[in-house]
Structure formats: structure tokens, C-alpha cells
Amino acid sequence: MKRAFARVREDLAAAMLRDPAARSKVEIAVLYSGLHAIWSYRLAHALWTRGFRFLARALSQLTRWLTGIEIHPGATIGRRFFIDHGMGVVIGETAEIGDDVMLYHGVTLGGQTHDRGKRHPTLGDGVAVGAGAKILGPITIGARSAVGANAVVTKDAPEDSVLVGVPAKPRKRAAGEDTRALLTAPEYFI
């Protein structure tokens, strides 16, 4: 129980750090649907890993209905994960998300096949994904990468990459480059 409260405090601190509009931890705890979805996911994931698959899926679907965020209980999510303005976020069953990852609204971590194996993306630690981005298939986005808004990513990207466009092409992040603007106003290379 102590560990659960420590994780909640850590989640609140991560939200305060990443959202400049956040005014208090109480506001975040009560009003942030992305955080509610993550907390519900943790309970559903615990049920999923203990073999209560139907109950886990039922909880995830109820959470989807309440928050507009769908996280499959089979996904693996690290610490200090934050979903900002989460409506429309979809995270598939075999997705793996590292620590300190941030997603904006409308992000899909989806599959491209009906195979039963690994079919969803893996995001390394510290990855940030802009609004509307689609990351599809069993690919890996390296740590500390930034995926621009509305990018469509279907190929692996190394650590410290910047991915923009449709299809997204990775490039190395320049030393000291601030990529926050890509998350809300991307360049398009169509």
C-alpha cells in the first residue's frame, strides 16, 4: 500500500513538471483524465497479470468510456508516464512504454498485423509524442526521442531522434535542440 501511494505522489509530481497549466496536485488528482486512465490501467494490469483477463478488459473499457483513453491491460508502462489532454489515446496490448514518457491527445500506439506476438511499438525512456501521432507496428523508438504532432511512424528510430512527417523519417537531435514545438506544431514532409 505504501508503494502505491508513493507511485501516486510520483505521478502527481510528473504531471506538475510536464504541464505548465497545472496549478496544484489536488487539481491534477481530481481533474486530469490522463492520470485517471493511468491509475485505472495499473489496477487492470494487476488483474490481467493475475489471470483475471475479462475483469481487466471490462475495467479498461469502463475507463475508456469515462476518460476517452484506451489502454489495454496487457500493455507494459513504466514510471512517471503522463498523458496530457488524453482524449483519443489508444495503447495496444503488446505496447511497451519506458519511464518518463509523455503522450498528447490522439496518439495511437497500434498494430499493423493480426499476429498474436509482439505487434505494438516500444517507446524508450523519456520519449515525447505529439498530438495525433501514430506509431504503428512492433517497432522501437529510442530513448529521449521526440515524435512530432501528426507524424506516422512505421520504422525503428535510434535514441535521441526527432521524427516528423508522413511517413516520419528520423533524424538525430541537434545538440541543445529544443523539440517541444514539434509536439504541437510539426513540420510536414508529405
Side-chain angles (χ1 to χ4, degrees):
M1 192 61 142
K2 225 182 223 188
R3 193 176 101 180
F5 283 120
R7 291 291 295 269
V8 166
R9 284 192 301 276
E10 192 175 65
D11 290 336
L12 294 170
M16 286 291 292
L17 176 69
R18 292 191 180 100
D19 186 356
R23 287 183 284 280
S24 74
K25 290 181 181 177
V26 171
E27 177 185 52
I28 294 167
V30 173
L31 301 177
Y32 278 46
S33 60
L35 207 47
H36 300 153
I38 293 164
W39 291 339
S40 177
Y41 153 79
R42 288 198 187 125
L43 178 57
H45 184 71
L47 292 168
W48 182 266
T49 58
R50 287 169 180 77
F52 298 100
R53 302 267 166 112
F54 181 84
L55 190 56
R57 286 300 309 271
L59 177 57
S60 73
Q61 290 303 300
L62 174 64
T63 303
R64 174 185 173 200
W65 183 73
L66 292 171
T67 66
I69 299 168
E70 181 175 346
I71 305 174
H72 193 287
T76 304
I77 298 177
R79 296 171 63 182
R80 298 173 301 278
F81 176 53
F82 182 60
I83 302 172
D84 195 11
H85 302 288
M87 184 61 75
V89 167
V90 176
I91 300 172
E93 177 183 12
T94 62
E96 298 174 53
I97 299 172
D99 295 337
D100 303 305
V101 170
M102 180 174 175
L103 306 181
Y104 284 90
H105 61 279
V107 169
T108 299
L109 303 181
Q112 290 186 305
T113 178
H114 292 293
D115 295 343
R116 290 204 173 267
K118 174 78 169 145
R119 59 192 184 280
H120 299 99
T122 298
L123 305 183
D125 294 343
V127 170
V129 183
K134 309 301 176 216
I135 304 175
L136 306 172
I139 63 173
T140 299
I141 306 301
R144 300 170 308 282
S145 292
V147 179
N150 293 317
V152 178
V153 185
T154 59
K155 295 186 175 165
D156 291 341
E159 292 182 349
D160 298 305
S161 291
V162 175
L163 297 108
V164 294
V166 180
K169 294 179 178 29
R171 68 169 171 77
K172 195 76 171 158
R173 182 190 311 245
E177 178 181 17
D178 182 4
T179 56
R180 287 176 293 186
L182 293 173
L183 301 176
T184 56
E187 304 168 33
Y188 289 97
F189 300 104
I190 299 176

